[in-house]
Amino acid sequence: MDCLFCKIVEGTIPSNKVLENDHVIVFHDIQPAAPTHVLVIPKKHIASMNEVTAEDMPLIGEIHLAAQEAAKRLGVEETGYRLINNCGKDGEQTVHHLHYHLLGGTRLGVLTSLSDSHQ
């Protein structure tokens, strides 16, 4: 398999880890879009949110708990952060391994240019 994130999981590509447990790794994004920008990924290869099964629900919970812990360690737990999962072409998913972007450290702008409801 030629998956960038699987290579990070196996350690053949280095990463700047925030935390790691038996199921999840959180590491700094190499192209940050905010002062705090980390990726939260399962160690298990799942191509996208569309491939998540009922059996994966405990893993999804582990991902969210890891995101909470990462936000705490990174100092954005109280000020706020955004947790984003991109899925598919129109969702701008560029790495086909389930992952979440945790962004914070500043007031974040609108979610899309299609709506001003969060300004």
Side-chain angles (χ1 to χ4, degrees), residues 3-112:
C3 173
L4 173 68
F5 289 169
C6 285
K7 291 178 181 178
I8 289 173
V9 168
E10 66 188 22
T12 58
I13 294 178
S15 64
N16 183 5
K17 294 177 188 169
V18 173
L19 69 86
E20 178 176 8
N21 63 34
D22 291 341
H23 306 286
V24 179
I25 297 177
V26 180
F27 56 93
H28 289 273
D29 194 300
I30 61 170
Q31 295 180 315
T36 299
H37 186 172
V38 295
L39 299 174
V40 184
I41 71 166
K43 289 185 174 181
K44 174 184 177 183
H45 181 83
I46 302 171
S48 77
M49 183 57 72
N50 287 338
E51 282 73 34
V52 171
T53 67
E55 292 78 30
D56 294 319
M57 286 301 108
L59 178 58
I60 298 302
E62 291 280 342
I63 290 168
H64 283 255
L65 290 172
Q68 287 177 337
E69 179 60 26
K72 184 176 182 177
R73 290 184 187 190
L74 294 166
V76 297
E77 175 187 41
E78 295 298 322
T79 58
Y81 57 94
R82 188 171 288 161
L83 191 62
I84 301 170
N85 169 258
N86 299 326
C87 185
K89 179 182 166 195
D90 286 352
E92 295 293 331
Q93 182 180 6
T94 57
V95 177
H96 295 283
H97 184 119
L98 180 67
H99 62 284
Y100 293 77
H101 297 261
L102 188 155
L103 301 122
T106 189
R107 182 157 173 96
L108 301 168
V110 296
L111 292 174
T112 71

